[in-house]
Amino acid sequence: MTDVSREVSVEEKQLPKGDTWSVHKFGGTCVGTPLRIKNVADIIINDDSERKLVVVSAMSKVTDMMYDLIYKAQSRDESYISALDVVLEKHSTAAHELLDGDDLALFLSKLNEDITNLKAMLRAIYIAGHATESFTDFVVGHGELWSAHMLSSVIRKNGTDCKWMDTREVLIVNPTGSNSNQVDPDYFETERRLKKWYSSNPSKVIIATGFIASTPQNIPTTLKRDGSDFSAAIMGALFKARQVTIWTDVDGVYSADPRKVSEAVILKTLSYQEAWEMSYFGANVLHPRTIIPVMQYGIPIIIRNIFNLSASGTKICDSSINDDEDKQNLNYFVKGFATIDNLALVNVEGTGMAGVPGTASAIFAAVKDVGANVIMISQASSEHSVCFAVPEKEVKAVAEALQSRFRQALDAGRLSQVAIIPNCSILAAVGQKMASTPGVSASLFNALAKANINVRAIAQGCSEYNITVVLKREDCIKALRAVHSRFYLSRTTIAMGIIGPGLIGSTLLDQLRDQAAVLKEEFNIDLRVLGIIGSSSMLLSDIRGIDLAGWKELRKEKGEVANMEKFVQHVHGNHFIPNTVLVDCTADSIVAGHYYDWLCKGIHVVTPNKKANSGPLDQYLRLRALQRQSYTHYFYEATVGAGLPIISTLRGLLETGDRILQIEGIFSGTLSYIFNNFKDGRLFSEVVAEAKEAGYTEPDPRDDLSGTDVARKVIILARESGVKLELSDIPVESLVPEPLRASASAQEFMQQLPKFDEDMAKKQQEADNAGEVLRYVGVVDVANEKGVVELRRYKKDHPFAQLSGSDNIIAFTTRRYQNQPLIVRGPGAGAQVTAGGVFSDILRLASYLGAPS
């Protein structure tokens, strides 16, 4: 009987391994206050795993406080004594809140003993004025000892059997060769000590200290940066646990830094390699070495938020497990994006490098000698140049070392230069299936090009895990936002500036307000109006955009003095939104004069303003040439037919190889209305007065009757057809009687107009007698390279005679449509249709920028 009981007790004390264990790691913020320590205890107790090993960090800020004690002591600053008292007070207060009775007395006794020992040690450091690494490691490791002791006592108080482990007794590490900032675990010795520790302390719940360990000589040390995560991964591997859960204060691993990309999403899964790559490139995931111990056994790591238990977090595991879960997602190939700032590119180039063995070796030997960290290398197959990225703070030393090492080659001309390009950032796209999937790189570079971002260097390994590009630092956030939008279909976001909130501009703002939610939900298009500017005042907003339901009131309350330069800088200068469009709803030639500069800056332009395209020919040609050679778009459908598709129809004909012979049309809604109603013996002045009353004319009807507006439309169509004409080349028949052209006011003009009714009545009667009607038209004679604006007569069965109201009609005679012209007809005037035409151009821009079509 006694033999059997002895066998059972031995078996109990043997270290069990495998799926019965789950490992948890709680960082400093998780155990930062007594309430949070209670929460951690609840999570551990409620975990239904059979066995649990829990790794804890020091309470938040305590490790920094301990390092500060060392700094003060070796600087011979006596305030280390009061600083140590603060550490004592912090832990004593927490213990009084969490514990009572014997548990409290035991903890406070141990705490006071530790503080007394630390005081003596810090006094020795103070006297010596120097702290050895092992002294430092011994001092800073106390935070973990205290938090592990406290947590285990809280769990025991709740009735759960629990032991706490000082991992300095178990975890043995050796410094990594040349790098004193890293250590390698000695798994064989650690496992031997773990079995010995467990035989004396068998328990189903073990609370272990993170971050601290010992050398083979039993000297206290630490696991350096992110040491607690590393501790958890090592323990996970030693216990061959089912999983390792790292508890933090974020919901998981994001597809990009959420502070830079508001639409970043939590990734459900990552492969070990993807997590490795993202952490290397600065993503707040894990230190790469944390992944190594668990990878060997295929143990998943779960990143979870202790402050949001409803979030399932991110699972980091073997790629084959991920494949099944992710295949249906569009972002299956690119998981995330990360950036590194404050870099410089070093470019070593010269014809003497090509085919010369050892050049690259010599370059990087020189870099190694100054202790610089090379973050990325890029070399073309011609071997003419090697470029690489290093931290900006190290670039001066690198440049000097290379100049010195290659002085002879530079003087002889075999190397032409060692060039430094400062102010760079790296953008890395990470995904396991990237390189083996056609089109991923193309999508990445297309997104950068459309955001008008220039790439300075590129590197991609054969490992298929990342594509790295080097950019200007000021473009980094904009680039990150652009590529993230492209792969995550986080809405195609466009920053908009509306210039001229008059009749058309305010109607457009109303249309945007009514349609914004639908565009966002159904088409992934996010249009944000960041600014509205008029002739005297402007309203600017943050990146969330102006609330268009109340923009008029906001402009009165928060408007500031109009300043076009500041306005453009505000709308375009934010780095959060990759695309910018300025919508010019004025008829101002000064505003139109800015288009070229805006397009050069990567700002898209949409406008119904005719001044740019009908102004001086050389300016128009410059604009069109720039538009053709860049990724910046300039849309102006509404300049000719308001909401009618005239420019796009003309473009479609030309791009498909048709040849335009003639374009003829009634281009003015005002004049269409006047001549559609100038019949049955009515007086011309009466019809003009009626049109003015109905709001069809400009405030001064002479602006319509002069024909200048029609001439501008004729010029635009002529130029789009390849005919290079100036406005002065177009003969225009003005309907304003000669004596009234100099009238002082519109009112005086309207009073005097009836005196000239007889002339117009005679023309109308002559046409009527011949079975014809009068129509005011613009004509582009492409074949003979000329244009004209005049009053013409048409047979009553001609399409131009069939119009009603203020409709426009345009007839394209082409090689394909020679016998029967292609007709476009519909409302050609009015704020609603003109604003609708502008809105249509904005949506066309969104589809060019990647919105679903």
Side-chain angles (χ1 to χ4, degrees):
M1 188 69 188
T2 48
D3 288 343
V4 172
S5 67
R6 194 181 317 126
E7 276 176 32
V8 170
S9 67
V10 170
E11 186 178 82
E12 273 180 3
K13 291 179 182 181
Q14 278 186 341
L15 178 64
K17 291 185 181 183
D19 284 357
T20 58
W21 286 99
S22 69
V23 174
H24 295 265
K25 177 262 170 174
F26 294 93
T29 50
C30 301
V31 290
T33 65
L35 179 62
R36 289 181 185 175
I37 291 172
K38 277 182 186 165
N39 287 345
V40 167
D42 289 341
I43 289 170
I44 295 162
I45 292 161
N46 293 328
D47 174 7
D48 56 8
S49 303
E50 189 183 334
R51 295 181 173 89
K52 292 161 270 200
L53 181 122
V54 180
V55 174
V56 286
S57 299
M59 292 177 78
S60 54
K61 304 283 186 293
V62 167
T63 302
D64 290 342
M65 291 163 85
M66 303 305 274
Y67 274 116
D68 189 49
L69 291 174
I70 299 279
Y71 176 76
K72 282 182 164 139
Q74 67 183 3
S75 304
R76 299 201 167 110
D77 175 351
E78 289 198 350
S79 68
Y80 79 85
I81 300 167
S82 57
L84 185 59
D85 290 339
V86 173
V87 172
L88 170 63
E89 179 62 25
K90 183 179 175 87
H91 289 86
S92 176
T93 305
H96 277 97
E97 277 193 50
L98 292 166
L99 308 174
D100 48 37
D102 289 349
D103 284 341
L104 177 62
L106 182 64
F107 178 79
L108 291 177
S109 163
K110 186 77 181 83
L111 176 66
N112 285 306
E113 183 189 326
D114 288 343
I115 295 289
T116 304
N117 290 339
L118 286 171
K119 242 177 210 162
M121 184 166 271
L122 290 165
R123 178 70 186 158
I125 292 169
Y126 176 88
I127 292 165
H130 172 69
T132 63
E133 188 180 348
S134 55
F135 263 44
T136 303
D137 287 346
F138 176 77
V139 171
V140 298
H142 276 76
E144 277 72 15
L145 296 171
W146 298 325
S147 62
H149 189 163
M150 258 192 293
L151 178 60
S152 66
S153 300
V154 173
I155 291 169
R156 265 203 313 279
K157 188 178 161 187
N158 281 313
T160 302
D161 177 40
C162 175
K163 298 278 194 323
W164 78 273
M165 177 199 291
D166 176 351
T167 44
R168 294 178 302 184
E169 297 172 18
V170 172
L171 181 52
I172 303 302
V173 296
N174 292 298
T176 305
S178 58
N179 190 345
S180 62
N181 286 324
Q182 285 198 17
V183 291
D184 288 328
D186 180 337
Y187 285 101
F188 182 78
E189 180 58 22
T190 300
E191 183 161 17
R192 189 185 70 76
R193 293 191 182 204
L194 177 61
K195 284 175 178 173
K196 184 182 173 190
W197 182 91
Y198 190 84
S199 69
S200 308
N201 302 279
S203 178
K204 290 192 173 180
V205 180
I206 300 170
I207 310 297
T209 55
F211 183 55
I212 55 177
S214 290
T215 67
Q217 294 76 37
N218 296 319
I219 297 166
T221 186
T222 67
L223 300 183
K224 317 303 179 199
R225 186 183 152 206
D226 290 314
S228 295
D229 287 355
F230 196 21
S231 302
I234 294 165
M235 288 301 176
L238 288 167
F239 282 91
K240 297 190 174 56
R242 179 169 52 85
Q243 65 182 37
V244 174
T245 305
I246 309 275
W247 294 89
T248 68
D249 52 4
V250 292
D251 284 348
V253 181
Y254 281 90
S255 53
D257 186 337
R259 293 166 300 183
K260 296 175 181 176
V261 180
S262 56
E263 288 94 347
V265 298
I266 295 290
L267 299 170
K268 284 193 170 64
T269 59
L270 278 174
S271 71
Y272 295 121
Q273 290 83 358
E274 286 164 342
W276 198 326
E277 290 283 350
M278 284 187 73
S279 59
Y280 175 77
F281 283 101
N284 188 16
V285 191
L286 296 166
H287 195 280
R289 67 199 174 126
T290 304
I291 299 160
I292 298 168
V294 292
M295 251 177 97
Q296 186 181 352
Y297 299 104
I299 299 166
I301 299 175
I302 318 286
I303 312 286
R304 289 195 63 190
N305 188 351
I306 191 160
F307 305 116
N308 181 14
L309 298 179
S310 62
S312 58
T314 300
K315 183 180 189 179
I316 298 169
C317 55
D318 193 57
S319 59
S320 57
I321 300 167
N322 283 346
D323 277 5
D324 303 328
E325 295 181 33
D326 286 348
K327 257 181 190 150
Q328 56 270 51
N329 296 337
L330 286 171
N331 43 34
Y332 167 61
F333 304 113
V334 178
K335 280 296 182 65
F337 301 91
T339 56
I340 306 178
D341 292 324
N342 304 319
L343 301 176
L345 267 185
V346 181
N347 189 37
V348 183
E349 65 178 68
T351 50
M353 287 170 63
V356 179
T359 308
S361 165
I363 291 169
F364 295 113
V367 175
K368 177 178 177 285
D369 289 345
V370 295
N373 179 26
V374 175
I375 293 175
M376 187 207 92
I377 303 167
S378 180
Q379 180 180 8
S381 57
S382 67
E383 301 181 30
H384 177 67
S385 71
V386 174
C387 90
F388 54 94
V390 294
E392 204 144 40
K393 63 180 188 291
E394 297 174 359
V395 74
K396 189 165 178 272
V398 168
E400 285 169 1
L402 291 171
Q403 297 278 4
S404 165
R405 172 68 182 75
F406 293 104
R407 170 57 47 216
Q408 193 180 347
L410 285 161
D411 290 346
R414 291 196 306 281
L415 285 190
S416 53
Q417 63 169 350
V418 174
I420 305 299
I421 304 166
N423 303 319
C424 291
S425 289
I426 274 179
L427 168 66
V430 172
Q432 184 139 0
K433 302 290 177 186
M434 244 170 14
S436 59
T437 308
V440 173
S441 298
S443 296
L444 179 79
F445 293 113
N446 188 252
L448 292 172
K450 284 184 173 176
N452 213 45
I453 288 161
N454 186 36
V455 174
R456 290 182 158 177
I458 302 163
Q460 179 179 2
C462 306
S463 66
E464 308 185 5
Y465 298 137
N466 96 53
I467 300 171
T468 303
V469 293
V470 180
L471 320 149
K472 284 187 198 163
R473 186 189 302 154
E474 61 263 31
D475 285 341
C476 187
I477 293 176
K478 187 177 167 189
L480 182 62
R481 181 66 189 267
V483 296
H484 190 275
S485 293
R486 174 65 191 82
F487 284 95
Y488 274 84
L489 282 178
S490 68
R491 302 144 189 149
T492 302
T493 309
I494 304 176
M496 298 177 65
I498 308 292
I499 303 165
L503 187 58
I504 293 168
S506 58
T507 306
L508 173 65
L509 286 164
D510 289 345
Q511 291 178 356
L512 286 165
R513 174 200 66 209
D514 296 342
Q515 199 61 15
V518 175
L519 289 172
K520 214 181 248 190
E521 294 310 312
E522 293 186 19
F523 300 99
N524 286 318
I525 298 170
D526 189 357
L527 302 176
R528 301 185 191 182
V529 178
L530 301 194
I532 301 169
I533 186 169
S535 54
S536 57
S537 72
M538 65 181 181
L539 174 65
L540 306 177
S541 91
D542 60 25
I543 62 156
R544 290 170 296 185
I546 294 166
D547 176 6
L548 297 184
W551 69 267
K552 288 178 183 169
E553 293 75 16
L554 283 168
R555 194 162 161 239
K556 282 178 194 160
E557 288 168 31
K558 299 184 178 176
E560 52 190 279
V561 177
N563 177 327
M564 186 61 80
E565 191 178 339
K566 183 180 176 185
F567 176 81
V568 174
Q569 173 56 33
H570 176 82
V571 176
H572 184 54
N574 79 80
H575 289 301
F576 288 86
I577 301 177
N579 310 297
T580 307
V581 61
L582 292 176
V583 183
D584 173 20
C585 296
T586 71
D588 192 315
S589 54
I590 293 171
V591 176
H594 290 298
Y595 294 177
Y596 186 84
D597 289 338
W598 292 343
L599 291 166
C600 284
K601 288 176 181 170
I603 301 170
H604 308 288
V605 177
V606 171
T607 186
N609 183 350
K610 292 177 270 293
K611 295 292 168 63
N613 287 9
S614 62
L617 179 64
D618 62 330
Q619 287 183 20
Y620 166 81
L621 294 172
R622 277 177 78 216
L623 268 178
R624 292 291 280 122
L626 179 63
Q627 187 190 5
R628 273 191 286 266
Q629 72 191 33
S630 74
Y631 275 93
T632 313
H633 300 288
Y634 171 41
F635 293 146
Y636 43 85
E637 183 67 76
T639 55
V640 176
L644 296 180
I646 294 171
I647 300 280
S648 54
T649 300
L650 175 55
R651 287 260 180 91
L653 292 169
L654 291 168
E655 286 167 4
T656 57
D658 204 351
R659 192 156 63 84
I660 311 296
L661 304 175
Q662 179 177 281
I663 304 168
E664 183 179 14
I666 296 170
F667 293 104
S668 164
T670 308
L671 295 172
S672 175
Y673 179 88
I674 289 169
F675 284 101
N676 288 341
N677 290 283
F678 181 40
K679 59 187 177 185
D680 304 330
R682 292 187 71 185
L683 298 173
F684 186 70
S685 61
E686 181 193 319
V687 178
V688 172
E690 180 183 282
K692 185 175 190 296
E693 189 66 31
Y696 285 117
T697 72
E698 294 292 331
D700 187 339
R702 285 175 295 180
D703 291 343
D704 297 296
L705 297 170
S706 69
T708 308
D709 190 59
V710 176
R712 287 190 180 279
K713 293 177 179 180
V714 166
I715 274 290
I716 292 168
L717 290 173
R719 289 173 175 178
E720 290 290 307
S721 305
V723 181
K724 294 176 180 173
L725 294 176
E726 293 282 8
L727 196 56
S728 56
D729 296 332
I730 306 284
V732 180
E733 181 183 342
S734 174
L735 300 179
V736 181
E738 184 79 44
L740 301 187
R741 290 175 193 173
S743 295
S745 67
Q747 189 181 356
E748 186 187 324
F749 165 73
M750 291 305 294
Q751 285 168 355
Q752 299 293 324
L753 188 60
K755 294 179 182 176
F756 300 89
D757 279 342
E758 198 177 319
D759 291 351
M760 288 302 290
K762 186 180 171 191
K763 288 180 181 176
Q764 200 275 331
Q765 192 59 51
E766 285 173 1
D768 200 39
N769 293 341
E772 295 175 337
V773 295
L774 293 176
R775 293 292 182 260
Y776 193 76
V777 297
V779 181
V780 182
D781 182 351
V782 178
N784 295 306
E785 298 198 346
K786 58 185 184 181
V788 65
V789 175
E790 61 189 9
L791 194 61
R792 285 188 176 181
R793 287 164 36 172
Y794 292 90
K795 291 288 181 191
K796 289 187 178 177
D797 62 352
H798 192 279
F800 286 17
Q802 315 290 316
L803 288 187
S804 59
S806 61
D807 278 8
N808 283 7
I809 187 166
I810 294 89
F812 294 92
T813 306
T814 73
R815 201 171 55 200
R816 285 183 203 144
Y817 295 94
Q818 203 155 351
N819 300 325
Q820 193 175 355
L822 174 64
I823 302 278
V824 178
R825 173 185 167 170
Q832 284 291 340
V833 291
T834 305
V838 174
F839 198 170
S840 178
D841 269 351
I842 293 166
L843 296 183
R844 185 152 61 108
L845 171 66
S847 76
Y848 277 41
L849 295 172
S853 54

